[in-house]
Amino acid sequence: MKISDILTDNDVIVINNAASKRQLLKEMSIKIAEGTGIDDRSMFDIILERENLGSTAFGGGTAVPHGRIPELKQLKGLFAKLQKGIDFEADDNQPVDLVFMLLSPENSGADHLSALAQISKIIKDEEICDQLRNADSTEEIYRILTQN
């Protein structure tokens, strides 16, 4: 599985003013729902429920909120670069400024895990994260995310 299988160039956003994790997840749920026809509130509730089980922050300023959406037909991603990091309850206490949201159909076990592995590989790479933070456009961010 490649990142381009779950992420299009329209699925990369820059957020200038997220005040909290909850607000960010709400905003990302609204954006990712646009192309699916699924209610953004349902997506937000599922993502928030998963987040309440334990933070999806990876450390190093990155997070991968994710969830399984019963009505979803295929895996869907959304990447957000935050201009100002927010508290995501990360183990390293660093504010999060790179967020990759992953939504999966309910019965997509292997595909879900494969996608999480690909995302994890990217956001654990400090060099790639530096490139993402220094990128000037959503097009450049998409290119960096999908270069492998």
Side-chain angles (χ1 to χ4, degrees):
M1 172 170 299
K2 297 181 297 191
I3 294 298
S4 59
D5 293 336
I6 59 171
L7 190 77
T8 70
D9 56 349
N10 290 325
D11 299 321
V12 175
I13 58 175
V14 175
I15 297 178
N16 296 318
N17 57 354
S20 68
K21 175 168 62 168
R22 185 179 181 89
Q23 179 194 2
L24 172 67
L25 295 176
K26 177 78 171 156
E27 192 170 332
M28 290 183 77
S29 295
I30 290 168
K31 173 67 178 166
I32 204 167
E34 289 174 2
T36 65
I38 298 170
D39 178 56
D40 62 90
R41 181 62 196 203
S42 298
M43 287 189 185
F44 173 70
D45 288 345
I46 289 168
I47 292 293
L48 189 61
E49 182 180 323
R50 166 57 190 89
E51 197 64 37
N52 287 336
L53 294 174
S55 177
T56 56
F58 267 67
T62 62
V64 185
H66 56 277
R68 295 181 190 263
I69 311 296
E71 305 90 348
L72 201 61
K73 302 294 183 223
Q74 62 187 32
L75 274 70
K76 184 72 178 150
L78 178 70
F79 182 84
K81 174 183 169 182
L82 311 183
Q83 294 295 6
K84 181 179 177 221
I86 59 170
D87 179 17
F88 225 85
E89 302 164 28
D91 286 343
D92 65 359
N93 293 317
Q94 286 191 33
V96 165
D97 63 345
L98 300 175
V99 182
F100 200 123
M101 181 179 279
L102 175 66
L103 301 178
S104 305
E106 204 161 42
N107 298 320
S108 64
D111 288 341
H112 180 80
L113 293 176
S114 177
L116 281 176
Q118 288 296 325
I119 295 165
S120 173
K121 183 175 153 187
I122 291 169
I123 65 171
K124 285 185 175 183
D125 186 315
E126 289 182 33
E127 185 178 323
I128 292 175
C129 287
D130 287 344
Q131 290 174 17
L132 292 168
R133 288 184 175 103
N134 293 321
D136 292 326
S137 68
T138 56
E139 293 81 9
E140 185 179 357
I141 293 169
Y142 181 75
R143 182 189 56 72
I144 294 165
L145 290 169
T146 59
Q147 65 189 354
N148 295 324

